[in-house]
Amino acid sequence: MLVLQGTIPFEIMPEHKITMWLFIYHLLTPCFVFGLTEEGNKGYGPVFEEQPIDTIYPEESSDGQVSMNCRARAIPFPTYRWKLNNWDIDLTKDRYSMVGGRLVINNPEKSRDAGKYVCVVSNIFGTVRSSEATLSFGYLDPFPPEERYEVKVREGVGAVLLCEPPYHYPDDLSYRWLLNEFPVFIPLDKRRFVSQTNGNLYIANVEASDKGNYSCFVSSPSITKSVFSRFIPLIPQSDRAKVYPADIKVKFKDTYALLGQNVTLECFALGNPVPELRWSKYLEPMPATAEISMSGAVLKIFNIQYEDEGLYECEAQNYKGKDKHQARVYVQASPEWVEHINDTEKDIGSDLYWPCVATGKPIPTIRWLKNGASFRKGELRMQSLTFDDAGMYQCIAENAHGIIYANAELKIVASPPTFELNPMKKKILAAKGGRVIIECKPKAAPKPKFSWSKGTELLVNGSRIRIWDDGSLEIINITKLDEGRYTCFAENNRGKANSTGVLEMTEATRITLAPLNVDVTVGENATMQCIASHDPTLDLTFIWSLNGFVIDFEKEHEHYERNVMIKSNGELLIKNVQLRHAGRYTCTAQTIVDNSSASADLVVRGPPGPPGGIRVEEIRDTAVALTWSRGTDNHSPISKYTIQSKTFLSEEWKDAKTDPSDIEGNMESATVIDLIPWMEYEFRIIATNTLGTGEPSMPSQRIRTEGAPPNVAPSDVGGGGGSNRELTITWMPLSREYHYGNNFGYIVAFKPFGEKEWRRVTVTNPEIGRYVHKDESMPPSTQYQVKVKAFNNKGDGPFSLTAVIYSAQDAPTEIPTDVSVKVLSSSEMSVSWHHVSDKSVEGYQIRYWAAHDKEAAAQRVQVSNQEYSTKLENLKPNTRYHVDVSAFNSAGYGPPSRTIDIITRKAPPSQRPRIISSVRSGSRYIITWDHVQAKSNESAVEGYKVLYRPDGQHEGKLFSTGKHTIEVPVPSDGEYVVEVRAHSEGGDGEVAQIKISGAAAGVPTLLLVLVVPALGVLACSGF
């Protein structure tokens, strides 16, 4: 065989002797053909294993170089070159270096190196170009240094703080906002939102707590850099809060998305109270992959598909008003291959059609490269191929969203006929009366002409004999006379060859006992018979199929079994027959020469199949009409239907109430009644006959019933208490199933006991079960009557039973007396006081703060009204503290007592005792340590505490001594630990520790460990 490639610029290189052969080919006679064939078959053109990708190089990077990767396999080894913006790169310059095909750019500069790069790979078989890769330079400038103006906003009014990000590339920034200092980022909630489109901070309505300095924090993930703006002071202006209708300020625009991408839409509204945000798709259900986050401000559609294209709407609403915004989402797609080219060998002189089809939106255009150069556009067809047509081809599909490449090598083949790789079969078997095809497939290029002979007789086409275009010989109605030697002759302009085989006749295979039709009920067994005769010299096998699909006896062994004990018998046993086993069974008796088949039907009677075509019509508030089509009755008439429903409240399907209550088997419609208004439902239908209940239908499309006014009143209405001049009203919110409509909320009515006129307020959040009414003129502990009812867009529901509650009491007015403070140590003090006489007091608050701190930084301890004293802990040593006590109840805090100043004691000694000896004397250990010297800022040593405890336990016997030595008993069992600490009025100092053992006399090893004083142990021991 001769394999040659198309013309490319040749470089005569001694090490590439095959290149010289290609050149000589055009000058010499075909006698050189075979010298080229063997070596040419070993090589192939470049095939990409890695191509360059888009790269962003940070302008401030300290790396000093950037690389573009390119790697291809080829035989012989390929050469690489690079293009920038379609100009060849001079790789001899020091700025560039190559490692294999990898291009390294040293000290990259935006003005010289930014652009589109292409890797070009060549060898003697052709040239290919990589996909284009863009090298960009990323940057994120700092914010301008100018001060930002302060923003003053009345409380209750919405505010927008502008980020105004600095110049940057690429446009993939993420935004957060700092409050007062780094790294304190503001939390986002229903009231606050940061747009990831422009970085602005939106506050639905400003509160006093929003006061502070705000800075826009901008991050670029591509270049891993962040900057933040100068702080913007936000100053809320105190004002009686007013209500404002919803006003959408963050509006998503018409969006073009690529198929499979994730799409984010933003919507946020200002208003007081904070508007509720709802998303919908105009006249269509929301995508299954849609997800709403950020308290409703962000709609994300994951893995977007063409069917997700459409008009999307955001609605913002509070009880003062609502606002809507709509924009369209368009879904397009980058090119994607439907059919692409592959390496191909074609005979010289033959025709070529190379299909190359891509899909995308908009529809991609197709163009071709040959050996890296522009070749054609559209589909590729070539006639009468020559060696010059060989080479490396690239099909390129592109649209506005991308470009894809398919690479393949075209080889042109020329050779004389040869049967070496595919000779004719030496022995061909054919069944009596049957048909045989004797293949003749030599390797040849161009395609040869064929002729056949039987013995010495030349064969021609006739009624029983036909020579096909591909060289095969067909003989039908085989007889004994057709046996003999057959020879195929193949010839083209490069030579000729022949191959011979012998044809022998066998007895035909016949079904002698065919399967019969069978009728069974689900769960029974069925038998299909099948017996055949065949040529005794051949092996016989039986193949069973159901409705044209071969039965896999290994996978289906639970239901199918065949008789393998009796030769020529292929009987099939079907066990525990199910509905899916019904159909046409075919038995095929087969040898290696021929086969014979016979079929029969298995009828299976059983429960009905699932109904189909469920449609929901005439949707009302508590009823819908259903229609459906009959499923298969499985040879037993349907006696009745059951309709089931499911809501989002439960995953369980439940039988629905219907009209008529009994749905007979000849019906195909019914009405479902007693549904919940404004509830999403799915329905399914189950058919029943005398043999059982069938599988349920597919669920219907999800629908929502019409709305209706609520008919259930909130329960557990009550309240009372709260802060001064407040009336707190509470109730149990109604669950979603009782909302019955959109815009659900509550109307709260209340009035002082004995008055006639009710005051009403509206609560628009359906999840809230609490309302606090503030009125400075409200007397404390006043009796009120309250009641609550639900409402929606269809009307109001009934009021609850009237409850009696009391307004908040006044905060205490008395001051605790006889406040006394006693210092216990350097870190503790106790505080005591006398109770006030006010019976409404719920407890007492003790405030304490260091003299050098502000009063606003005071720490607080609260105790119940049963307590007369408390202990303050974790104080600083030798520090002056201010302490006061005040009473409190649910309305607030009373006036504080007079402030008491007191100084904590100096800290305990920081030096731990140094144990200098541990001597055993009979049944005692004598342990000695050096005296501890207190520093000037520490409390004087008053003595020592010694804890004698078993090793591994925390409790033991505590000794106290003023000496520097102590005797302890020798442990009777195991090891004991002796802890020594200095004691002072400021507390206990640090610990020295030693282990002693009763196992042997002598001085134990000292283990000195610095630990925090075990105050809990000392306390338990009475110290």
Side-chain angles (χ1 to χ4, degrees), residues 148-380:
R148 296 283 190 111
Y149 293 110
E150 66 181 16
V151 177
K152 295 183 178 180
V153 186
R154 295 196 314 276
E155 293 180 12
V157 177
V160 181
L161 301 186
L162 303 181
C163 179
E164 298 176 338
Y167 292 114
H168 59 274
Y169 182 86
D171 194 16
D172 62 348
L173 302 182
S174 63
Y175 301 91
R176 291 185 290 174
W177 281 76
L178 296 168
L179 178 58
N180 294 326
E181 61 182 354
F182 182 86
V184 179
F185 293 99
I186 66 165
L188 303 182
D189 48 32
K190 292 179 66 174
R191 199 172 59 84
R192 292 176 290 195
F193 176 70
V194 176
S195 170
Q196 296 303 309
T197 301
N198 55 29
N200 295 342
L201 169 62
Y202 297 84
I203 305 177
N205 52 68
V206 172
E207 297 178 353
S209 59
D210 292 323
K211 182 178 180 179
N213 297 311
Y214 291 76
S215 172
C216 181
F217 187 85
V218 181
S219 299
S220 173
S222 297
I223 62 173
T224 61
K225 181 180 178 182
S226 300
V227 295
F228 55 88
S229 69
R230 298 298 294 268
F231 281 93
I232 305 172
L234 176 61
I235 305 174
Q237 303 292 297
S238 180
D239 190 10
R240 184 172 183 180
K242 297 181 180 179
V243 293
Y244 299 95
D247 181 15
I248 296 178
K249 290 298 184 184
V250 179
K251 300 180 179 180
F252 59 99
K253 300 177 181 179
D254 285 351
T255 302
Y256 286 84
L258 292 182
L259 185 72
Q261 281 187 339
N262 300 334
V263 177
T264 300
L265 306 180
E266 294 182 340
C267 178
F268 190 75
L270 309 185
N272 190 22
V274 177
E276 294 288 332
L277 298 170
R278 297 181 181 89
W279 291 85
S280 61
K281 186 180 180 187
Y282 184 66
L283 297 180
E284 293 182 71
M286 289 283 279
T289 60
E291 182 179 286
I292 298 173
S293 60
M294 300 299 290
S295 301
V298 174
L299 170 66
K300 285 188 176 181
I301 305 173
F302 295 92
N303 188 26
I304 195 166
Q305 301 298 305
Y306 288 124
E307 58 266 25
D308 299 330
E309 186 173 89
L311 189 65
Y312 287 80
E313 179 179 277
C314 170
E315 178 182 275
Q317 182 175 12
N318 59 16
Y319 72 83
K320 189 67 175 178
K322 65 181 178 179
D323 192 10
K324 291 184 179 181
H325 171 69
Q326 291 181 334
R328 187 168 291 275
V329 173
Y330 300 91
V331 180
Q332 299 197 335
S334 303
E336 186 175 333
W337 291 120
V338 175
E339 185 177 8
H340 61 77
I341 58 175
N342 295 294
D343 291 346
T344 301
E345 285 188 2
K346 297 293 289 185
D347 293 346
I348 190 168
S350 64
D351 298 335
L352 170 69
Y353 168 59
W354 233 347
C356 188
V357 183
T359 185
K361 189 177 180 182
I363 298 297
T365 59
I366 301 293
R367 59 187 175 92
W368 295 80
L369 302 179
K370 179 185 176 185
N371 292 326
S374 181
F375 185 58
R376 291 186 186 175
K377 294 183 178 180
E379 68 176 22
L380 182 62

Side-chain angles (χ1 to χ4, degrees), residues 176 195 292 296 309 413 421 502 583 596-597 642 693 815 822 832 1004:
R176 291 185 290 174
S195 170
I292 298 173
E309 186 173 89
V413 181
L421 300 178
V502 176
S596 179
S597 299
T642 302
T693 298
I815 299 173
K822 181 181 179 181
S832 61

Side-chain angles (χ1 to χ4, degrees), residues 344-526:
T344 301
E345 285 188 2
K346 297 293 289 185
D347 293 346
I348 190 168
S350 64
D351 298 335
L352 170 69
Y353 168 59
W354 233 347
C356 188
V357 183
T359 185
K361 189 177 180 182
I363 298 297
T365 59
I366 301 293
R367 59 187 175 92
W368 295 80
L369 302 179
K370 179 185 176 185
N371 292 326
S374 181
F375 185 58
R376 291 186 186 175
K377 294 183 178 180
E379 68 176 22
L380 182 62
R381 292 181 184 271
M382 294 189 286
Q383 286 80 35
S384 301
L385 294 172
T386 69
F387 293 124
D388 290 339
D389 294 317
M392 298 301 299
Y393 287 79
Q394 293 179 277
C395 176
I396 302 173
E398 59 185 322
N399 65 11
H401 304 297
I403 180 169
I404 53 177
Y405 291 71
N407 306 340
E409 181 178 0
L410 175 61
K411 290 187 176 182
I412 305 301
V413 181
S415 72
T418 175
F419 286 92
E420 290 182 5
L421 300 178
N422 194 22
M424 280 180 57
K425 292 181 179 180
K426 296 301 181 184
K427 183 178 181 180
I428 303 121
L429 299 178
K432 180 180 179 180
R435 166 178 174 264
V436 67
I437 295 175
I438 307 175
E439 291 185 342
C440 179
K441 293 186 176 181
K443 197 76 173 177
K447 180 180 177 181
K449 294 181 179 179
F450 296 96
S451 60
W452 282 83
S453 69
K454 178 188 176 189
T456 59
E457 177 188 358
L458 185 66
L459 299 178
V460 295
N461 289 339
S463 59
R464 292 195 315 114
I465 297 177
R466 179 187 171 200
I467 301 173
W468 290 6
D469 288 341
D470 67 356
S472 299
L473 176 66
E474 179 184 19
I475 307 174
I476 61 176
N477 297 326
I478 299 291
T479 67
K480 191 71 173 176
L481 296 176
D482 292 320
E483 291 185 327
R485 293 172 59 84
Y486 287 81
T487 302
C488 173
F489 299 90
E491 181 178 1
N492 65 11
N493 59 4
R494 296 184 176 274
K496 56 187 176 180
N498 62 75
S499 184
T500 300
V502 176
L503 176 65
E504 295 182 2
M505 190 192 76
T506 64
E507 290 298 322
T509 303
R510 296 282 185 268
I511 299 288
T512 57
L513 185 60
L516 301 176
N517 295 339
V518 181
D519 190 326
V520 296
T521 301
V522 168
E524 296 179 345
N525 295 340

